[in-house]
Amino acid sequence: MEQEETPTPVDPEVRAYVYSLVSALGGTGTDEDGRYVLGDDALACLKDLKRWLKFYDEKANRLDVARCLAEANLVEGDLLEILGAWPEGATEDKVRGKIALACLELLVPLTWPIEKNDTQLTVNHHRHIPYIQLAQASYKRAMLESQSKTVLRTAVRIGLPSIAIPMGERTARDEGIIKIILYLFRNISIICTAGESKDSPTSRSATIEAFHHQDVLALVLTICSNMGEDFDTQDVVILEVLFHLLKGVGVEKLFMDESQLKKNGSNELGALLAKEKNMHRSYAKHAPSRHNRFGTMIWVKRDEPGRVSTVSGQYGLTDQQQTFSKMDQSKKWNKPKQRSRDIEKVNDRFDVPVSLTNNATTHLRLFVEEFLDSSFNPLFNHIRRAIEREADRVLECHGPQFFYLISWFLEAERVRRRKKQEAEKKRKNNKIAEIFEADSFSLIASVLTQETFVLLNRFIQDRLDMKVWHDVNAGTRCFTQILLIIQEMADSPLEEDQEIAENIQNRIFYEETTHDRILAILRGYKDQGFGYLDSCTELSHVFLRMLERYSREKVDLQVRSKRRARKKKKAAAVQRGDANTNDDVAVSELEDVAEAERVSKERKFDFNRFALKFATQACIDTFVKFTKFYNDLNTEQLKRAHRFFYRVAFKQEISVMLFRVDYFLLFNHMIKGPDPLDRASPVYGEWEELVRQLIKRMTKKMKERPELAVEMLFSKIPSTVFFLEHGYEKQTISSRPRAPATLEVKGAMAKEEQISVAVAVLHEQQLDAIDWVVKILSTAASERQCWETAAAAKRAEHDSSIDHAEPGSKAPSIIVNPDSEERRIAIFKDAKMRLLMTLSGFERLGIDDEPNATWIIPSALSARQLHETQEVIQKYRDNPIMEYGEDEPIAADEMLRRKSTASARRVEYDDESEGDGIVSNGDDDFLFPAGGPTRTGPLTAAAALEQLKKKRRKRRTSTASDGGVGALDDETLERRWKAREAADLEKRKKIKSAEYVFDSEDDAEADRIFFESEESRRERQAKRVMEVLKAGMVDRKKKEKRKSDDKDDGPKQHSKKKQRIVESKSGSEGDGDLQFPVGYSSSPRIQELELGSQSGEEDTPPSTPHEVVAQEKILRDISPNIRTTEDDGASNKIPIQAAAGGEVDDEDGRDEPVLLPSRRRQRVALMFESDSE
């Protein structure tokens, strides 16, 4: 019986070819004292092995050749021996140089990290990857441990000739050699083994020490400092080398000296021992002993009758709390964890802490300081530009690496500055400290530019939208460190740093989108890991603190908020399909950009309002999840969580949001246990006081609001929070929906053309609306036709006489009922649909802003008209016209405009209406409204009723003479309607109105004639009035004499108050106004009218209307410009001119006007009019 052969992982033929090449490469022998000896065709063998890797493994997506080379021990047994045997002084040996370069070309693909996702893996990969990863770890160990052979230094020597050549003179081969060397260093820094300690041969510490001793770090510094000048495409490879060297390294420990490291190590050891002691103490309370090693099971009665719970173990007998805790543990549901969608590569994780040895820490600290002093700005500025222009060499993984390294180096700069300041303070050398302060921030200025902020914001927003949480974590870390650097610049004693910090803060806090992004990051935490949780909470804490401080300094802080701009429809342009479509779309896109800029507006920033957004349930849940790791958090992290809860509960006064049972359970565990905070912690007292105040407020609030006992079990929505805070529901006033603007079709288009435009704008997206209108018109036409037939039959029965016709012969209106709720909303909110309905003859009842208003088809529309409208809509529904015009076609959307609510008042020279498509209707635009200023007064009710009766009698007579309504045809009605319109137009043309009076053209001769006539008229008027006044002087003197003889038992007729000037303006400038000194009557009759008798008849009004008429006649006899008025609100001072013997004249000889209190018996007003008014 033949034994079955076990399948081999590699094809035997492939293995044979590879093994033969490895054997021919060379080996060790006894003749050479154990030294490695190259074969005769060593260079050809190396090139053949390279071809096997390239054309078999890479092209076929297999790992067979790499597996064979690992089994043949090619790297450790041949390649490293060849590189180590090349002496440093043998630089002129070209053959050895080519062989060494060929060895590097093999080492790079053999050490290349295997990063494939599950969809890319095959059976061959699953078979070979574990073995190859172990082989790569052995390759790294061999290269790092061979200190005497200095393999890495040999690789540096191979690349130095190419590096020394200027960038403009290098060939493609030189660039390739430099890339091979850098990729080898990158691969060595990436290779790691799981669970390695800091002393393992492949650890990060061993890598850093080997790079330091073999001049790899010096080469990296040289390339970084000359980036952009002598090097261009090597930036991303250097970025990867730095990332894999620095990820996870603690910055605080990196800048500690030996004494501080020893102290910190002892503190960490003491903290661990204390934690272990506390664990033993809590465990010893219920630890088993020899007396309680027996099984126990108890039943616990529950509140429901007949229901019990089972608890096992004797520790359930100790007390009631332990029993309930055991019950809770048995009822706890372990929710299965879903696999994260964010597929994070193992080699790119930067939130796993890494510990270093003392020697590695020293070497890395020196490298970081030299890098910050000479290489930070050139490297990161060059990489930023490459990322912005999306260079081919920039991969997706380089973005998060770029921002993580920025955050790491910024934190290193902050810590270095702080350590420097502490050291200077100890030495009392403040002068050196000031010099350091002045030069430090310029070393990192390349990442504090506006271009970096724009790139960072765009990166975070894109990754946040795509939910790539690993990249969002890197962006948030970078943003946090930038904010901390800016804060230190603001606290700098130098004014230049303060101004720069002021400018940067203004740019960061000015954009409201940045504020919203911080909120979205904090609210979006679910299960992204502790690293993301730590970075998002730190960012929100730092951002809130800095924004609060900046808003206090800048009282008038403005932020720019953007409203969502409505996108313009491009359907008409796309449907056109002509050659100008692309240009039109491009122009429309530019208009959209301009529209987006237009809707951006500034508003005053209110920090309290913004801080309230962090007091939501999602933000609080994020910090609660962060606080659950209280045993693993350091002092700064515990302070961060404490400050947030304090802000919510006491600064924002929304402590109700923290009143939840699970929150108080967590706080109780932090203070009372089990596993409480260490009492020696600096923040233990602060947390204890916070929890005490929260419990105090909770008990007080529960007395005020008993409903809180139920609400403590659930999350709280804003309405619940408002009720618990104030005790009543929040009153919200719902605003009534507003109707859209009424649209109309531009230009003087016929009704059918207007309907075609309305159908075209609805045809693209609302075809069902057009069909619904057609259906309504069809149904209404059928219904109206039935009614007209029935009405004609009734008229025939009554001998077609209008006198015997029934009074209800008018067709009833047809109510339009929407077929769905969406249709009801559309006919209220859709302006285009309302335009089509209006053009179809529909009418809307009720106010404009009533959503449930009724649409009707009025009785004036006949069945024939409805049917014609239906046919027109159906015609353009089947063949829509999307463009209008021949020379310059205009889309149907652009043919619509808002209908003005009031007609604009235009004059002859107003040309603002050009190009708007409006055709003037002749003289109608310049007619005055009827019933304007020429109307003498409103009609009384009796007069209006009498006028209406006359019109009705006239209409009835005319219709009866024509033989009734049925005898009138359409032509007669149309002719009468046009006659009435023409008569109304002629009547409106005759209306004169002072409301539309404009200055005429300048005419000197006309002005001279006008002013001369005014002057002569004024002189005649003054002469006539003076004659009347002089005639009454005698009567005045007699009356004064009688008054002096009387006793002073009556009121004085003349007031001795200060006289006041009353001017009566005329229509022209420069002419003197007619003025009268008041206080004297003009004649006995006027005196009797104005002053009344000395008896008690002063306030007695005229007894009869005849007396009033007589008084008005007397005034008209005196002057045609004097008329009476009955206005009670007019002044009681009446201007009258008197000419006494002692009259007062001014310089021009005119009389000074004075005022005299008039009597209420009859008010008299003198009005001096001119033709110019």
Side-chain angles (χ1 to χ4, degrees):
M1 183 177 180
E2 296 181 1
Q3 185 178 1
E4 296 182 359
E5 296 180 0
T6 58
T8 58
V10 181
D11 188 1
E13 186 176 357
V14 174
R15 186 189 299 273
Y17 275 109
V18 173
Y19 279 7
S20 63
L21 290 174
V22 173
S23 299
L25 181 61
T28 59
T30 56
D31 297 339
E32 301 294 337
D33 299 332
R35 292 185 295 107
Y36 187 86
V37 179
L38 290 173
D40 296 336
D41 295 331
L43 184 59
C45 293
L46 292 174
K47 291 183 178 180
D48 290 342
L49 289 174
K50 179 183 176 183
R51 293 190 187 98
W52 272 98
L53 283 174
K54 181 178 181 180
F55 293 105
Y56 192 84
D57 278 6
E58 294 182 11
K59 296 295 183 181
N61 194 20
R62 300 176 66 85
L63 300 175
D64 294 344
V65 178
R67 174 73 176 265
C68 293
L69 294 178
E71 292 176 352
N73 196 21
L74 173 69
V75 175
E76 298 180 25
D78 296 280
L79 300 182
L80 297 184
E81 294 291 339
I82 295 173
L83 292 174
W86 188 24
E88 296 184 3
T91 57
E92 301 297 333
D93 193 349
K94 301 294 183 181
V95 177
R96 297 297 294 262
K98 291 182 179 180
I99 294 176
L101 181 59
C103 293
L104 292 182
E105 292 178 348
L106 276 177
L107 279 176
V108 170
L110 290 177
T111 57
W112 198 276
I114 303 174
E115 297 176 349
K116 296 181 181 293
N117 53 34
D118 296 339
T119 59
Q120 297 174 344
L121 293 176
T122 62
V123 177
N124 181 272
H125 294 148
H126 285 288
R127 184 183 296 122
H128 297 312
I129 283 178
Y131 188 89
I132 293 177
Q133 287 179 344
L134 292 176
Q136 288 179 348
S138 64
Y139 300 161
K140 179 179 179 180
R141 183 186 307 108
M143 284 185 285
L144 297 181
E145 286 181 345
S146 58
Q147 297 292 338
S148 60
K149 299 178 181 179
T150 61
V151 176
L152 300 179
R153 183 174 295 172
T154 302
V156 173
R157 283 195 294 123
I158 294 174
L160 284 179
S162 300
I163 295 174
I165 300 175
M167 184 173 61
E169 300 177 3
R170 292 193 196 119
T171 62
R173 182 176 181 275
D174 295 329
E175 295 289 345
I177 292 174
I178 298 174
K179 277 191 176 182
I180 287 175
I181 297 170
L182 294 179
Y183 275 120
L184 177 64
F185 299 153
R186 192 278 308 261
N187 296 342
I188 294 174
S189 61
I190 289 178
I191 295 173
C192 62
T193 57
E196 61 183 8
S197 62
K198 63 181 180 180
D199 296 326
S200 63
T202 59
S203 63
R204 188 80 58 82
S205 300
T207 304
I208 293 174
E209 291 183 12
F211 279 11
H212 173 73
H213 290 300
Q214 301 186 36
D215 300 332
V216 176
L217 296 180
L219 177 64
V220 171
L221 284 175
T222 302
I223 296 177
C224 292
S225 60
N226 294 277
M227 188 63 64
E229 298 177 358
D230 295 332
F231 302 95
D232 185 21
T233 59
Q234 295 81 13
D235 49 359
V236 293
V237 187
I238 293 293
L239 179 72
E240 294 186 38
V241 173
L242 293 176
F243 175 77
H244 293 291
L245 282 178
L246 300 176
K247 63 179 182 180
V249 177
V251 179
E252 290 287 344
K253 293 182 180 180
L254 186 65
F255 285 90
M256 291 182 181
D257 52 16
E258 294 183 1
S259 60
Q260 292 175 341
L261 284 174
K262 291 181 180 179
K263 183 179 180 181
N264 182 71
S266 61
N267 292 338
E268 290 181 355
L269 179 61
L272 291 175
L273 292 176
K275 183 180 292 187
E276 183 183 11
K277 185 177 180 181
N278 291 334
M279 292 174 59
H280 283 300
R281 186 185 299 111
S282 61
Y283 178 73
K285 293 180 180 179
H286 313 290
S289 63
R290 65 174 183 171
H291 297 290
N292 59 2
R293 286 180 295 178
F294 304 100
T296 302
M297 178 176 291
I298 60 176
W299 286 351
V300 181
K301 292 183 178 181
R302 298 169 60 178
D303 295 337
E304 297 88 348
R307 302 293 298 274
V308 294
S309 296
T310 303
V311 178
S312 60
Q314 292 188 1
Y315 54 85
L317 300 175
T318 55
D319 56 3
Q320 185 177 3
Q321 182 179 359
Q322 290 295 331
T323 304
F324 289 150
S325 300
K326 180 63 177 177
M327 290 175 57
D328 293 339
Q329 294 176 5
S330 62
K331 292 186 297 182
K332 186 177 180 180
W333 176 49
N334 294 324
K335 183 179 179 180
K337 296 182 179 180
Q338 298 180 357
R339 189 171 184 177
S340 177
R341 296 181 180 178
D342 185 12
I343 303 175
E344 180 181 353
K345 298 179 181 179
V346 179
N347 295 329
D348 292 339
R349 294 188 61 183
F350 49 76
D351 53 358
V352 179
V354 176
S355 57
L356 302 176
T357 60
N358 294 337
N359 293 333
T361 301
T362 303
H363 300 326
L364 186 60
R365 181 174 66 249
L366 295 176
F367 168 76
V368 169
E369 290 180 351
E370 293 180 3
F371 182 86
L372 287 171
D373 293 338
S374 62
S375 306
F376 182 87
N377 286 336
L379 176 65
F380 285 99
N381 192 26
H382 196 269
I383 296 177
R384 176 185 59 78
R385 294 177 180 176
I387 295 176
E388 288 178 345
R389 63 174 178 266
E390 298 180 357
D392 295 336
R393 64 181 183 276
V394 178
L395 304 179
E396 186 178 356
C397 62
H398 293 149
Q401 292 177 1
F402 172 74
F403 290 111
Y404 174 78
L405 285 179
I406 289 178
S407 65
W408 196 94
F409 280 109
L410 289 182
E411 185 180 2
E413 177 65 18
R414 289 176 46 246
V415 175
R416 184 175 72 152
R417 286 167 48 82
R418 188 175 69 249
K419 298 294 183 181
K420 184 76 174 181
Q421 292 174 0
E422 293 176 356
E424 296 298 337
K425 287 181 180 179
K426 291 181 180 179
R427 289 195 296 265
K428 304 297 183 180
N429 193 352
N430 296 328
K431 184 176 181 180
I432 298 179
E434 291 176 1
I435 295 175
F436 174 78
E437 289 280 351
D439 297 337
S440 59
F441 289 113
S442 61
L443 301 177
I444 55 174
S446 62
V447 298
L448 299 179
T449 59
Q450 184 66 18
E451 292 81 2
T452 305
F453 299 150
V454 172
L455 180 63
L456 175 59
N457 289 327
R458 185 170 65 245
F459 175 81
I460 295 177
Q461 188 62 48
D462 292 344
R463 298 305 188 270
L464 192 62
D465 295 339
M466 294 187 296
K467 296 184 179 180
V468 184
W469 306 115
H470 173 264
D471 296 356
V472 176
N473 187 7
T476 53
R477 287 175 180 266
C478 180
F479 196 15
T480 303
Q481 294 302 324
I482 288 176
L483 291 176
L484 293 175
I485 283 289
I486 294 171
Q487 185 178 5
E488 291 192 2
M489 292 178 65
D491 297 335
S492 175
L494 300 179
E495 294 183 359
E496 182 180 0
D497 293 339
Q498 295 177 5
E499 292 178 359
I500 296 174
E502 173 73 19
N503 187 17
I504 296 175
Q505 290 183 86
N506 189 20
R507 286 182 293 176
I508 292 177
F509 298 140
Y510 177 66
E511 297 292 341
E512 192 179 24
T513 54
T514 304
H515 305 179
D516 299 337
R517 191 178 299 113
I518 303 300
L519 273 170
I521 292 173
L522 185 62
R523 293 174 179 175
Y525 175 79
K526 290 183 179 179
D527 53 354
Q528 290 89 342
F530 180 77
Y532 181 88
L533 181 61
D534 183 27
S535 63
C536 71
T537 52
E538 184 181 11
L539 176 60
S540 61
H541 172 70
V542 174
F543 188 84
L544 264 179
R545 187 180 59 185
M546 289 187 61
L547 184 56
E548 182 180 14
R549 175 182 175 182
Y550 188 73
S551 61
R552 289 177 180 175
E553 296 175 356
K554 301 294 181 182
V555 182
D556 56 344
L557 177 62
Q558 300 288 325
V559 295
R560 181 173 64 180
S561 59
K562 290 185 178 181
R563 295 181 288 108
R564 187 182 299 274
R566 293 183 298 178
K567 296 182 178 179
K568 286 195 170 186
K569 295 184 178 179
K570 309 178 185 65
V574 174
Q575 187 176 1
R576 221 176 303 171
D578 52 6
N580 297 327
T581 300
N582 296 331
D583 296 338
D584 295 340
V585 172
V587 172
S588 181
E589 290 178 354
L590 293 178
E591 291 176 355
D592 289 345
V593 173
E595 179 71 10
E597 294 178 355
R598 187 184 65 83
V599 299
S600 299
K601 61 178 182 179
E602 291 186 352
R603 63 175 179 83
K604 187 175 181 180
F605 178 74
D606 185 4
F607 176 78
N608 293 327
R609 179 182 177 184
F610 173 71
L612 283 175
K613 297 180 181 180
F614 285 85
T616 57
Q617 194 66 52
C619 297
I620 294 176
D621 288 341
T622 301
F623 269 90
V624 168
K625 293 176 182 177
F626 180 69
T627 312
K628 288 181 180 180
F629 298 95
Y630 62 89
N631 280 327
D632 300 325
L633 302 181
N634 55 30
T635 303
E636 294 297 329
Q637 293 170 334
L638 288 173
K639 283 184 179 180
R640 185 193 313 163
H642 176 273
R643 299 300 185 269
F644 176 80
F645 292 128
Y646 178 82
R647 180 185 296 275
V648 172
F650 301 101
K651 282 191 174 182
Q652 303 298 329
E653 295 294 337
I654 317 180
S655 56
V656 179
M657 295 295 297
L658 300 179
F659 294 166
R660 266 180 51 174
V661 175
D662 53 343
Y663 294 172
F664 280 105
L665 183 63
L666 173 63
F667 296 154
N668 183 66
H669 286 174
M670 292 179 65
I671 305 303
K672 299 298 181 69
D675 297 332
L677 279 174
D678 187 9
R679 291 182 175 272
S681 175
V683 295
Y684 179 83
E686 298 178 1
W687 272 101
E688 185 179 19
E689 181 64 21
L690 174 65
V691 174
R692 190 179 66 84
Q693 292 296 333
L694 284 177
I695 294 176
K696 182 179 179 180
R697 287 202 172 192
M698 186 267 294
T699 54
K700 182 179 178 181
K701 182 63 68 174
M702 188 169 291
K703 293 179 181 178
E704 299 176 359
R705 310 280 187 269
E707 301 86 355
L708 182 60
V710 179
E711 294 297 337
M712 287 185 66
L713 301 173
F714 310 101
S715 301
K716 297 170 183 60
I717 59 178
S719 59
T720 304
V721 174
F722 186 88
F723 174 78
L724 294 177
E725 288 288 346
H726 302 87
Y728 57 88
E729 296 288 345
K730 187 176 183 179
Q731 303 296 326
T732 57
I733 301 176
S734 59
S735 59
R736 293 178 60 87
R738 297 182 59 185
T742 305
L743 300 179
E744 65 178 0
V745 182
K746 295 180 181 179
M749 302 179 67
K751 185 176 181 180
E752 182 176 348
E753 295 178 345
Q754 295 183 16
I755 292 177
S756 69
V757 174
V759 172
V761 297
L762 292 172
H763 190 274
E764 184 67 23
Q765 297 180 352
Q766 302 183 31
L767 196 60
D768 58 335
I770 303 175
D771 296 337
W772 177 75
V773 173
V774 172
K775 181 180 178 182
I776 292 296
L777 289 173
S778 177
T779 306
S782 301
E783 184 177 346
R784 186 60 53 84
Q785 183 65 40
C786 295
W787 183 90
E788 290 178 355
T789 304
K794 288 184 179 181
R795 286 195 298 270
E797 292 179 359
H798 292 82
D799 298 331
S800 301
S801 177
I802 192 62
D803 296 333
H804 298 88
E806 293 183 0
S809 60
K810 190 176 182 180
S813 301
I814 300 174
I815 299 177
V816 179
N817 295 319
D819 55 352
S820 62
E821 180 67 19
E822 291 78 7
R823 190 80 63 203
R824 184 189 66 82
I825 298 175
I827 62 178
F828 173 72
K829 292 186 176 181
D830 193 347
K832 297 177 181 178
M833 185 175 179
R834 293 174 63 146
L835 174 63
L836 178 61
M837 296 174 67
T838 304
L839 292 175
S840 302
F842 295 11
E843 293 183 359
R844 191 172 185 273
L845 304 180
I847 60 177
D848 293 338
D849 294 337
E850 177 59 39
N852 298 321
T854 304
W855 285 81
I856 64 170
I857 298 177
S859 57
L861 297 178
S862 62
R864 180 175 56 82
Q865 293 174 337
L866 293 175
H867 185 67
E868 291 176 354
T869 305
Q870 175 193 352
E871 291 180 348
V872 171
I873 296 177
Q874 187 66 37
K875 170 186 174 183
Y876 292 108
R877 189 257 187 213
D878 298 335
N879 300 307
I881 301 176
M882 307 304 295
E883 294 179 350
Y884 293 85
E886 297 179 358
D887 298 335
E888 296 181 358
I890 301 176
D893 286 345
E894 300 177 1
M895 291 294 296
L896 300 182
R897 67 180 178 188
R898 288 189 177 187
K899 187 177 182 181
S900 58
T901 56
S903 59
R905 299 174 180 176
R906 292 187 174 92
V907 292
E908 296 177 353
Y909 48 82
D910 191 357
D911 58 351
E912 294 180 358
S913 61
E914 292 183 2
D916 58 0
I918 301 176
V919 178
S920 177
N921 295 327
D923 295 336
D924 293 345
D925 295 339
F926 303 97
L927 294 181
F928 298 111
T934 57
R935 179 175 291 178
T936 56
L939 294 176
T940 61
L945 183 59
E946 184 64 24
Q947 185 177 0
L948 183 60
K949 288 180 179 180
K950 289 181 180 180
K951 290 183 179 180
R952 288 181 177 177
R953 284 196 297 268
K954 183 178 180 180
R955 188 184 304 113
R956 186 179 297 112
T957 304
S958 61
T959 53
S961 63
D962 293 338
V965 177
L968 296 178
D969 54 357
D970 294 340
E971 295 180 358
T972 305
L973 294 176
E974 183 72 17
R975 186 175 62 256
R976 291 186 177 184
W977 177 78
K978 290 182 179 180
R980 287 195 300 269
E981 287 292 327
D984 182 67
L985 180 60
E986 292 295 331
K987 182 179 179 180
R988 291 174 62 189
K989 286 181 179 180
K990 295 178 182 180
I991 297 175
K992 308 297 180 182
S993 176
E995 187 176 359
Y996 304 91
V997 178
F998 304 95
D999 295 338
S1000 61
E1001 296 181 357
D1002 296 337
D1003 190 351
E1005 184 64 21
D1007 292 343
R1008 185 185 61 80
I1009 297 173
F1010 169 74
F1011 288 126
E1012 288 179 356
S1013 63
E1014 284 293 311
E1015 182 66 24
S1016 61
R1017 181 175 178 274
R1018 188 177 293 106
E1019 291 177 357
R1020 291 195 304 269
Q1021 179 71 12
K1023 182 177 181 181
R1024 185 167 56 251
V1025 173
M1026 292 299 296
E1027 290 176 355
V1028 175
L1029 292 176
K1030 289 180 180 179
M1033 288 296 297
V1034 178
D1035 295 338
R1036 172 182 172 275
K1037 292 180 179 179
K1038 291 180 180 180
K1039 185 165 292 186
E1040 288 181 351
K1041 185 177 182 181
R1042 288 197 304 268
K1043 183 173 62 175
S1044 61
D1045 295 339
D1046 295 338
K1047 296 180 179 180
D1048 50 353
D1049 54 350
K1052 295 182 179 180
Q1053 300 299 327
H1054 305 287
S1055 174
K1056 294 184 179 180
K1057 294 182 179 180
K1058 184 178 181 179
Q1059 297 178 344
R1060 185 178 57 177
I1061 298 175
V1062 178
E1063 298 179 356
S1064 176
K1065 296 183 179 180
S1066 64
S1068 62
E1069 297 180 0
D1071 295 334
D1073 297 334
L1074 185 60
Q1075 299 173 345
F1076 297 92
V1078 181
Y1080 302 93
S1081 60
S1082 58
S1083 66
R1085 298 179 66 181
I1086 295 179
Q1087 180 182 357
E1088 183 179 356
L1089 286 173
E1090 293 183 346
L1091 304 179
S1093 62
Q1094 296 298 321
S1095 60
E1097 299 177 356
E1098 293 178 352
D1099 298 331
T1100 304
S1103 58
T1104 62
H1106 300 285
E1107 297 180 7
V1108 177
V1109 175
Q1111 293 171 1
E1112 294 179 353
K1113 186 175 183 301
I1114 293 171
L1115 291 175
R1116 285 196 300 270
D1117 293 339
I1118 296 174
S1119 175
N1121 290 327
I1122 302 178
R1123 65 168 179 252
T1124 60
T1125 178
E1126 293 295 331
D1127 187 10
D1128 293 339
S1131 175
N1132 293 330
K1133 308 295 183 178
I1134 304 174
I1136 303 176
Q1137 181 75 28
E1143 59 186 11
V1144 181
D1145 296 337
D1146 58 1
E1147 295 180 357
D1148 298 334
R1150 291 177 298 189
D1151 301 326
E1152 284 290 329
V1154 294
L1155 292 178
L1156 177 68
S1158 64
R1159 295 297 177 262
R1160 293 186 180 180
R1161 185 167 185 176
Q1162 179 65 34
R1163 293 185 176 88
V1164 180
L1166 301 181
M1167 300 185 63
F1168 308 100
E1169 300 178 353
S1170 64
D1171 296 338
S1172 63
E1173 293 182 348

